[in-house]
């Protein structure tokens, strides 16, 4: 077997999965059909729990700013005023996607992954205990045998289609033309979260809806402090017509702005033009035998900000489980918990992004919805509920938040190195006697009197808590790798 795990796609999801596998002792092979990383700018940052997971893993050490709990964040056309809450539950990290991919790629290679660019996966067959993968390399075609194949190959995933996994959902009835545009500083006035140009006043960072479409604009420097101050990220949505062009010229972009606003903006240049039609879809299954899906291959969303959070959290959930399965040390059923945990999480992200899309449409009904939801969001309960939904943490208790005192500190330290942690707070260090066959697969910390005992999974979720060893053997048997286990 050439590699225990083959990952298709060296985007952020594939690279983080390769890192997670390496951390758990399984060096992955990553194949990407593109000869070099895509230079086209995509995400400007991360939103949600993944920011904190990556920080605890130590993967953001090279960045100038850590994740922050934000005082405000858009929810479709509304603004969540999170500074009304004692603590904002929503975390963001401004980092261009390209830079994030460099950090993740370097980290994956450091823990033993191999990344082959210019290698396209063109077919695969499962043979019972392995997957035979066909690859078109820069020169020849070749075959690889692997225990598991993971499709991190984006929204149009070949792996998903070839595995016959359905991708149900909806396609937007709007086409979006977007680009990084230049607006001359002397023609633009920015104040109080708005931009005024040629007599038109626009809210920044949120869709500005008119009868003919909507326009979203933000200075790029709001998201990337190194950006030139006259560069803006512009997206113009209009009803979908029969032909969707592949790209958009500067004149077409100006015309689209004119149709939506009724007047043109003083756009003097455009870079990275792009035309998209939003999809909101989720793979029916994240696992089919020895083939798994993660990231955009598993889900795409109709509003910004959710995709990387969902995709990268897939990778963190899957990595340690797949490593144990590939080594043959996983408890029975462990790998199936990937779909069981991450499919509902993807569905929750589908829900809030579709709700944002529904709130953004024109018309009196949507206006009423915006007004009522706006009223509800002045109350702390609904505001915290929605922000927590957008944070996107999976179901269950996450040790850095759920534990207190020294136990929480041990959990945070453990997240840097990965692996399972057992914090034994009993006076007589009683748990050591229970862990027998799992002992070599976990870190045991004895901390008498430091709160509850806890078994913490490699992704930081609590597998068990208790005052004594009651229930611990069952939790260990469900969640923890051990020698001689089977998948
Ligand atoms: C303009 C734009 C702005 C965005 N802004 C945001 C944002 O603000 N926040 C956010 O969360 N998300 C944003 N997104 C979405 C985000 O970019 C994606 O969610 C993210 O790239 C998905 O990562 P991935 O690794 O799952 O897939 P991708 O990044 O799509 O990577 C898939 C990789 O698979 C490779 N591949 C495909 N087929 C094969 C094959 N057969 N063999 C080998 N390799 C293959 C491709 O070459 C590619 O490198 C934005 C997207 C765009 C286009």
């Amino acid at each position: 077997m050439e590699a225990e795990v083959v990952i298709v796609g060296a985007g952020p999801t594939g690279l983080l999965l390769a890192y997670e596998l390496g951390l758990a002792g399984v060096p992955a092979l990553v194949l990407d059909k593109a000869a070099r990383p895509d230079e086209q700018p995509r995400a400007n940052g991360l939103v949600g729990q993944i920011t904190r997971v990556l920080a605890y893993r130590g993967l953001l050490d090279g960045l100038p700013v850590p994740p922050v709990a934000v005082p405000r964040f858009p929810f479709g056309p509304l603004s969540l005023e999170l500074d009304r809450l004692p603590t904002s539950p929503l975390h963001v990290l401004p980092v261009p996607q390209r830079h994030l991919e460099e950090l993740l790629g370097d980290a994956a290679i450091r823990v033993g992954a191999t990344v082959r660019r210019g290698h396209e996966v063109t077919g695969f067959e499962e043979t019972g205990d392995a997957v035979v993968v066909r690859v078109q390399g820069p020169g020849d075609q070749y075959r690889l045998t692997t225990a598991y194949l993971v499709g991190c190959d984006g929204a149009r995933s070949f792996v998903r289609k070839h595995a016959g996994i359905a991708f149900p959902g909806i396609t937007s009835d709007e086409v979006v033309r977007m680009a990084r545009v230049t607006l001359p500083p002397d023609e633009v006035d920015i104040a109080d979260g708005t931009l005024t140009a040629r007599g038109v006043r626009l809210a920044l960072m949120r869709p500005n809806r008119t009868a003919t479409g909507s326009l979203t604009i933000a200075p790029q420097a709001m998201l990337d402090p190194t950006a030139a101050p006259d560069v803006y990220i512009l997206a113009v949505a209009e009803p979908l017509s029969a032909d969707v062009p592949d790209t958009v010229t500067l004149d077409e972009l100006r015309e689209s702005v004119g149709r939506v606003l009724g007047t043109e903006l003083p756009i003097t240049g455009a870079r990275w033009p792009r035309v998209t039609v939003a999809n909101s879809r989720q793979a029916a299954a994240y696992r089919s035998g020895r083939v798994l899906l993660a990231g955009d291959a598993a889900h795409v969303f109709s509003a910004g900000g959710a995709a990387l959070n969902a995709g990268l959290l897939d990778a963190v959930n899957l990595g340690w489980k797949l490593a144990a399965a590939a080594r043959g040390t996983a408890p029975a059923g462990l790998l199936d918990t990937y779909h069981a945990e991450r499919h509902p999480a993807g569905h929750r992200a589908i829900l809030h992004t579709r709700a944002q899309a529904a709130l953004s449409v024109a018309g009196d009904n949507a206006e009423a919805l915006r007004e009522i939801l706006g009223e509800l969001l002045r109350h702390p309960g609904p505001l915290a509920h929605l922000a927590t939904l957008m944070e996107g943490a999976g179901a269950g208790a996450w040790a850095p938040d759920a534990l207190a005192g020294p136990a929480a500190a041990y959990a945070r330290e453990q997240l840097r190195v990965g692996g399972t942690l057992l914090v034994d707070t009993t006076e007589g260090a009683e748990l050591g006697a229970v862990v027998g066959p799992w002992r070599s697969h976990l870190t045991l910390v004895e901390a008498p009197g430091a709160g509850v005992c806890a078994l913490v999974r490699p992704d930081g979720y609590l597998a068990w808590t208790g005052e004594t060893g009651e229930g611990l053997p069952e939790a260990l048997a469900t969640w923890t790798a051990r020698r001689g286990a089977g998948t």
Side-chain angles (χ1 to χ4, degrees), residues 424-430 447-450 453 467:
D424 181 356
T425 58
T426 59
E427 287 305 330
E430 291 159 20
C453 302
E467 311 266 316

Side-chain angles (χ1 to χ4, degrees), residues 5-100:
V5 177
V6 169
I7 297 170
V8 189
T13 309
L15 293 173
L16 181 58
L17 179 61
Y19 175 74
E20 292 290 312
L21 284 160
L23 205 57
V26 172
L29 172 60
V30 186
L31 304 173
D32 199 296
K33 66 180 178 184
R36 61 192 63 83
D38 190 358
E39 291 302 324
Q40 178 108 345
R42 294 172 99 180
N44 296 296
L46 298 175
V47 184
Q49 192 203 24
I50 191 61
T51 59
R52 299 178 67 209
V53 176
L54 295 181
Y56 287 138
R57 282 278 193 257
L59 291 169
L60 306 180
D61 290 355
L63 291 181
V65 284
V68 288
V70 274
R72 274 163 194 268
F73 202 77
F75 184 74
L78 305 180
S79 175
L80 301 184
E81 294 175 359
L82 299 164
D83 48 5
R84 289 168 179 270
L85 300 173
T87 323
S88 167
L90 188 61
H91 295 82
V92 306
L93 177 80
V95 55
Q97 183 169 329
R98 194 56 219 104
H99 189 183
L100 177 73

Side-chain angles (χ1 to χ4, degrees), residues 121-186:
V121 170
T122 56
F124 56 85
E125 285 84 39
E126 263 196 74
T127 60
D129 58 356
V131 187
V132 179
V133 187
R134 270 173 284 139
V135 185
Q136 175 65 57
D140 293 339
Q141 276 201 356
Y142 62 97
R143 281 167 193 266
L144 279 171
T145 306
T146 181
Y148 291 96
L149 181 73
V150 191
C152 298
D153 51 343
R156 296 182 180 159
S157 171
F158 168 79
V159 174
R160 184 186 67 233
K161 290 175 195 159
H162 194 72
I165 298 174
F167 200 40
I170 49 180
T171 298
S172 165
D173 53 8
E174 286 192 323
V175 56
V176 180
R177 294 175 176 85
M178 61 177 83
R180 306 272 159 122
V181 299
T182 311
L183 300 180
D186 54 349

Side-chain angles (χ1 to χ4, degrees), residues 349-392:
I350 289 258
L351 279 185
H352 81 71
T353 48
R354 282 187 186 168
Q356 292 184 61
L359 278 168
S360 303
V361 303
D364 292 344
N365 287 342
E367 187 52 46
L369 190 59
R370 286 191 280 274
E371 198 172 323
I372 290 196
L373 191 62
E375 285 171 14
L376 278 176
L377 291 175
R378 284 200 276 278
H379 299 277
L383 184 61
H385 180 83
L386 200 50
T388 305
L389 180 61
M390 294 174 79
E391 179 79 355

Side-chain angles (χ1 to χ4, degrees), residues 432 434-446 476 480-482:
V434 181
V435 298
W438 294 279
R439 183 66 192 86
S440 58
H441 287 274
L442 55 77
T443 303
L444 176 60
V445 175
E446 288 166 5
L476 286 163
T480 307
R482 77 180 161 98

